[in-house]
Amino acid sequence: MVWAEVLFWLVPVAAFFLFPGYRTLGGQILIAGLFALSLDLILGYARIVSLGHAAFFGLGAYTAGLLAKHGWGEPISGLIAAAAVAAVAGLITSALIVRGKDLTRLIVTLGIGLMLYEAANRLHDVTGGVDGLSGVEMKPLLGRFEFGFDGTTAYVYILVVVLLMFLLARRIVRSPFGLSLKGIREGEKRMPAIGVSVAGRLAAVYTVSAALAGVAGGLLAQTTQFVGIDVLSFTRSAEILIMLVVGGAGYLYGGLIGAAIFMVLQDQLSNLSAVYWQFWLGLLLVCLVLFARGGVMGALTRVRSRNDRSKAMTTATQTASPQGRRPSSGGRP
């Protein structure tokens, strides 16, 4: 990691000590950031637009929640099971996703999310329906650390998992597989000419993205010890898409930054005005998108590019100017 990345990850560590009363909110921000990161893998790198990504988030949440409710409350194995169930669902539905284009994929993902939402609503005896899944009891993490009301264990647990999943995602996008995804994003029709299976690559990244979303859902179920039906709702899919747009798609860090901005604004504005907070939040988001194209990460990238060009021009000018040249020796050694 470069120094800027190290500094970025030191922020949530510092927040743990500086804001002990906000550890629960901080954990929710990290979970939303991981969820947005999973969406960034398919939207920012493979250009697969989804309005039903909450389907995999909800599957992971219900998997971890049901396991804990029925006696298997060990956190790490429950999280692995949540990722596996979501990955299988992503692999199955990827056959539908890779067949279509932008609008078709949008409708298909939306339809999958709506069907799972209605299925959870109907299966009241299993999921709790609109009342939610209660009775989720987690065992101590690693057999020692209890999930208390102060959110200390939950925050550290979430932060470690999110960091590991981020490193995995970064490894994927910087691998030859990730480079092929960027090639598909920039010129899908040209990739088969160099022997790349477009459908196979898209199905693979969609499955990985679903698994990461399942991990995020599992974390939510384990740390709140409750699963509401809203984990499968269209609203959650739309909110996570907004977070990614605000932070910037195609940067990995965009989802984390967007989740932090969105949820902090939501918390602070709702405290200021319980009635009109959505108006101010919407206004701020519109201004942010209009004046920071590509989200926060896009704006930062443009600023850095301008600074690099300015330094390069300054260096070239100094080199070309008479003051920047060494005086001639007149042929003498």
Side-chain angles (χ1 to χ4, degrees), residues 58-180:
L59 281 173
Y62 275 113
T63 300
L66 287 170
L67 285 175
K69 181 178 181 178
H70 294 287
W72 192 268
E74 202 284 315
I76 297 177
S77 58
L79 205 61
I80 295 173
V85 171
V88 170
L91 179 62
I92 294 173
T93 56
S94 66
L96 301 174
I97 302 301
V98 300
R99 290 176 178 270
K101 299 300 179 183
D102 292 343
L103 185 58
T104 304
R105 291 169 180 168
L106 192 71
I107 300 302
V108 170
T109 55
L110 177 60
I112 293 171
L114 293 176
M115 287 190 295
L116 285 177
Y117 179 88
E118 187 59 30
N121 186 32
R122 294 281 183 173
L123 297 174
H124 186 277
D125 295 336
V126 178
T127 64
V130 294
D131 297 325
L133 182 67
S134 57
V136 178
E137 297 182 3
M138 300 304 303
K139 295 181 179 179
L141 179 64
L142 301 177
R144 297 183 58 186
F145 305 102
E146 296 279 353
F147 287 93
F149 290 103
D150 60 348
T152 300
T153 301
Y155 186 91
V156 175
Y157 175 50
I158 293 169
L159 178 59
V160 172
V161 172
V162 171
L163 177 58
L164 292 176
M165 294 300 102
F166 175 84
L167 294 176
L168 174 63
R170 192 178 66 163
R171 175 60 180 161
I172 290 173
V173 301
R174 292 186 178 183
S175 67
F177 173 77
L179 293 177
S180 68

Side-chain angles (χ1 to χ4, degrees), residues 19-54:
F19 306 103
Y22 287 90
R23 287 172 184 169
T24 301
L25 176 61
Q28 299 299 308
I29 292 174
L30 290 170
I31 291 173
L34 178 57
F35 188 17
L37 172 66
S38 70
L39 181 61
D40 195 17
L41 283 179
I42 60 173
L43 178 59
Y45 290 89
R47 199 173 286 177
I48 299 177
V49 184
S50 175
L51 275 178
H53 211 54

